[in-house]
Amino acid sequence: QVQLVQSGAEVKKPGASVNVSCKASGYTFTKYPVHWLRQAPGQSLEWMGWINPATGNTKYSQTFQGRITISRDTSATTASMELTGLRSDDTALYFCARGGIPLWAYWGQGTLVTVSS
Amino acid sequence: DVQMTQSPSSLSASVGDRVTFKCQAGQDIKNNLNWYQRKPGKAPKLLVYGVSNLDTGVPTRFNGGRSGTDFTLTITSLQSEDTAVYFCVQYNSLPYTFGQGTRLEIK
């Protein structure tokens, strides 16, 4: 069965970086994009970007351009999302989700990132 | 960015009722819209993709529809386990954008 398992919760200070990983199993990793989304407290979900695991090509939301890097390790069937220059309003639950058709039928369990001094 | 306006923001209904959620797109998004269900502490669950296609295992009491730039998700014969937040997302153009969500409470 398709599974996306994310790394654990993180607490970071303002200005730091965070790296969240997403281990995929149960399907051919290189056949489907991996998207990253987040939901801040009291806010709607927000799409951050995606990666094509086959090519490494990425597309990012303008909101995060310059601060986000999505990468993949095909041998480990893992996608990762790094966000730099963390601010308090980056405190959120971060998700990875499988792309393709249908979009986001499979999700990771979420990773809570807390930014606090 | 495509604005997605979802209504109502919350809804209270009884078991067996029929309820409808609406998302209005700010421009033509064709059939590139999905509906998701979100329960506390859980990742979102895909219910309907491409406006009206039920994901695998989703009960047939869920129905999606479209009229122009207006999209609906209807639950016929509400069940107690349907308590959740429901939201739409358009994937016609980047960045993908979301409705604000409708909180459904079962009386």
Side-chain angles (χ1 to χ4, degrees):
Chain A
Q1 71 283 19
V2 174
Q3 278 195 302
L4 298 172
V5 179
Q6 296 180 223
S7 50
E10 302 264 13
V11 179
K12 296 292 182 180
K13 294 199 182 305
S17 300
V18 69
N19 196 304
V20 182
S21 66
C22 173
K23 165 79 175 169
S25 61
Y27 71 98
T28 302
F29 179 63
T30 51
K31 284 196 171 180
Y32 297 86
V34 175
H35 293 245
W36 287 90
L37 306 93
R38 75 177 189 182
Q39 186 164 30
Q43 304 295 312
S44 299
L45 270 163
E46 185 174 27
W47 175 78
M48 302 178 73
W50 62 268
I51 187 167
N52 179 337
T55 62
N57 289 344
T58 55
K59 188 74 176 177
Y60 302 130
S61 166
Q62 290 274 33
T63 301
F64 302 98
Q65 199 80 36
R67 291 205 299 144
I68 187 172
T69 303
I70 299 175
S71 58
R72 95 294 191 213
D73 179 342
T74 54
S75 63
T77 66
T78 297
S80 298
M81 185 280 300
E82 181 185 35
L83 192 62
T84 62
L86 290 171
R87 309 183 289 251
S88 58
D89 61 1
D90 290 317
T91 293
L93 190 57
Y94 289 75
F95 290 100
C96 62
R98 197 181 83 169
I101 298 173
L103 183 68
W104 307 337
Y106 299 97
W107 294 69
Q109 80 276 20
T111 296
L112 181 62
V113 175
T114 303
V115 183
S116 174
S117 55
Chain B
D1 298 4
V2 178
Q3 177 122 2
M4 301 298 296
T5 304
Q6 188 170 345
S7 62
S9 58
S10 64
L11 184 55
S12 182
S14 301
V15 170
D17 283 354
R18 174 190 177 102
V19 297
T20 297
F21 315 122
K22 179 178 171 180
C23 269
Q24 183 173 61
Q27 62 193 64
D28 181 18
I29 59 169
K30 305 179 181 66
N31 286 337
N32 298 314
L33 180 126
N34 289 358
W35 289 95
Y36 296 82
Q37 177 191 66
R38 181 89 186 274
K39 294 187 177 183
K42 301 251 184 158
K45 175 185 175 182
L46 175 64
L47 297 175
V48 173
Y49 65 94
V51 172
S52 58
N53 302 288
L54 290 188
D55 194 30
T56 305
V58 174
T60 55
R61 65 179 181 274
F62 291 90
N63 294 284
R66 172 193 176 191
S67 176
T69 56
D70 292 340
F71 299 84
T72 55
L73 175 69
T74 298
I75 310 175
T76 60
S77 192
L78 203 57
Q79 303 298 303
S80 58
E81 62 264 30
D82 297 334
T83 296
V85 173
Y86 294 83
F87 65 90
C88 63
V89 60
Q90 71 79 24
Y91 54 93
N92 187 66
S93 60
L94 293 176
Y96 302 144
T97 49
F98 299 78
Q100 300 93 323
T102 297
R103 185 174 301 277
L104 175 63
E105 173 197 273
I106 309 298
K107 289 179 188 173

